[in-house]
Amino acid sequence: MSKPLLLLDVDGVLNPFAAPPGRMPQGFRQHLMRPRAWIAQHPHLLEADVEDLPVWLNADHGAELLDLPYDLVWATTWEDDSNRLIGPAIGLPALPVITWSAPHAYPPDGTYFKTADIVRYAAGRPFAWVDDQLGPADRDYVARNHAGPALLYDTDPETGLGLDDFEALARWAGNLTTQV
């Protein structure tokens, strides 16, 4: 049996961007980055004039993710910038990247713009999707449209991934192998 997919968002998962000032979770350090999507959000400025984006990352997360029994995939609006900027900062090799068919165009059924693309990408393969913007409509969509096991795993954007989350993801993948 092949490993399940672990589909990773960046902001709110690896980058606890919503942490209150001065209360960043332990182990995180600030990186100043220039992702293409960030630059595109400032069309009124020359690229050189766009300030760097502060991103908080925990260097231990790369090894912890690689230790999980999954095939890792970026599922983030950072797209290719996740391999250029995030992966090297936390020690991840280049990973496959999901490219969004309609970024930021929220479907009328209330699902997140990523949801249909996630299901298409997984193509029936078991997956855990880690994001901070998942809701009931996404769970319903996946249940109706994905033939394999799926875990939609919410994170708190104030804390991002923590030890309990890594343990829960490992446990879910472990339960898959015991069911075969």
Side-chain angles (χ1 to χ4, degrees):
M1 177 175 155
S2 64
K3 294 189 275 187
L5 298 168
L6 182 58
L7 309 173
L8 289 166
D9 187 26
V10 170
D11 295 318
V13 175
L14 297 175
N15 171 27
F17 70 91
R23 294 185 39 208
M24 187 54 53
Q26 186 174 352
F28 286 82
R29 128 179 136 71
Q30 186 181 55
H31 300 260
L32 297 175
M33 299 184 170
R34 297 179 58 75
R36 290 178 196 99
W38 174 249
I39 293 168
Q41 290 177 26
H42 301 85
H44 58 286
L45 296 175
L46 296 172
E47 183 174 332
D49 293 334
V50 176
E51 290 187 30
D52 291 340
L53 175 68
V55 178
W56 293 89
L57 298 171
N58 184 327
D60 295 337
H61 281 172
E64 291 169 342
L65 288 165
L66 291 170
D67 282 345
L68 291 172
Y70 290 90
D71 288 332
L72 305 177
V73 177
W74 292 118
T76 173
T77 57
W78 285 67
E79 291 186 340
D80 293 323
D81 280 339
S82 52
N83 279 323
R84 186 173 66 86
L85 299 169
I86 302 298
I90 62 173
L92 287 178
L95 304 175
V97 176
I98 297 175
T99 302
W100 309 114
S101 59
H104 309 294
Y106 287 82
D109 65 359
T111 58
Y112 191 20
F113 74 86
K114 295 179 180 180
T115 307
D117 290 331
I118 292 280
V119 170
R120 265 191 297 282
Y121 185 89
R125 187 170 168 189
F127 72 84
W129 174 17
V130 185
D131 207 301
D132 66 316
Q133 295 191 43
L134 302 170
D138 303 302
R139 287 178 172 69
D140 291 344
Y141 184 94
V142 170
R144 287 190 323 272
N145 295 285
H146 182 69
L151 171 66
L152 277 65
Y153 194 86
D154 291 304
T155 57
D156 180 344
E158 287 189 14
T159 59
L161 282 176
L163 179 60
D164 291 346
D165 302 311
F166 284 102
E167 289 172 353
L169 290 165
R171 193 170 36 256
W172 185 81
N175 288 339
L176 288 177
T177 59
T178 61
Q179 295 172 8
V180 174

